Amino acid sequence: MNTRGQAQLAIWSDIDPGQETDYLHWLTREHVLERVSVDGFLSGRVFRAEADGHRRFFITYELHDASVLAGPSYLARLNAPTPWSQRTMPILQNFARGGGPVVARAGLGCGAVALPLRLDLAAAGLLDAGAQQALVQRIAGLDAVAQVWLMQVDAAGTGVQTKEKSMRRSVEGTFDGVLVIEALHTAAAQAALDQLLHAELANAGVADRQVFSACFQLDRRLAGLV
């Protein structure tokens, strides 16, 4: 039986260094557990980086399928944020969020670092299923790359207005695709990016090229939910 999730939710945010301890405690002691307890959420992973005087975070959740994004269990949680979440939402900067079906995946396991690239799929020539799978297969074959996945954003599901969204001061960035390269170390992720920027993604206008290191992971099994 294939139990791999068919969709992902990807989230970026920055915080000031002085707020990091409380933010990390919120993530690891409440928020990710709360999310993987939602029907259809299978796991959550947190990645961290430092840049321009900020602490940068990339969080991705594996979902059973894209319908979870607008499902009653998730929306109920988004419309009833905990006191700790209410305190945290306003401090998030450069916030971006998108979820949808994984349209192509290759490789095995999880990497120690993640390179998430927000894409215009049309500009990248990635609207065709064959092109999508060919790209992730090629990247997964590069040295020290563990897995690669490409997600197409479900704008309707991601864009539902909720109480939690209204509490964030940062305007959400918009994008229609996410390519995530998971590698064994930063040099491998950077080498893969360099190749892509001179080949398939040369005209894709990739702006944010931050490599993140893994710092926390929780799935339903580890949380005692299965």
Side-chain angles (χ1 to χ4, degrees), residues 32-117:
V32 178
L33 173 60
E34 177 190 84
R35 289 301 191 253
V36 300
S37 300
V38 169
D39 294 342
F41 274 67
L42 304 180
S43 68
R45 299 173 67 199
V46 179
F47 296 83
R48 177 187 179 277
E50 298 184 26
D52 302 322
H54 288 86
R55 303 296 187 262
R56 306 201 65 202
F57 289 87
F58 171 65
I59 303 170
T60 184
Y61 293 99
E62 184 177 357
L63 311 177
H64 183 269
D65 57 55
S67 68
V68 174
L69 292 166
S73 182
Y74 186 35
L75 291 182
R77 174 47 57 200
L78 291 174
N79 283 312
T82 68
W84 206 348
S85 291
Q86 293 179 45
R87 188 171 77 239
T88 302
M89 289 298 146
I91 74 171
L92 304 179
Q93 306 169 33
N94 297 322
F95 192 87
R97 173 180 174 271
V102 174
V103 295
R105 192 191 297 271
L108 186 66
C110 299
V113 301
L115 173 63
L117 304 174

Side-chain angles (χ1 to χ4, degrees), residues 124-138:
L126 291 173
L127 295 177
D128 175 74
Q132 294 166 350
Q133 191 60 39
L135 176 64
V136 299
Q137 290 283 9
R138 187 180 82 75

Side-chain angles (χ1 to χ4, degrees), residues 165-181:
K165 183 177 291 189
S166 72
M167 298 176 64
R168 292 192 286 267
R169 296 172 183 170
S170 179
V171 177
E172 291 191 11
T174 58
F175 47 96
D176 67 357
V178 181
L179 177 69
V180 178
I181 302 168

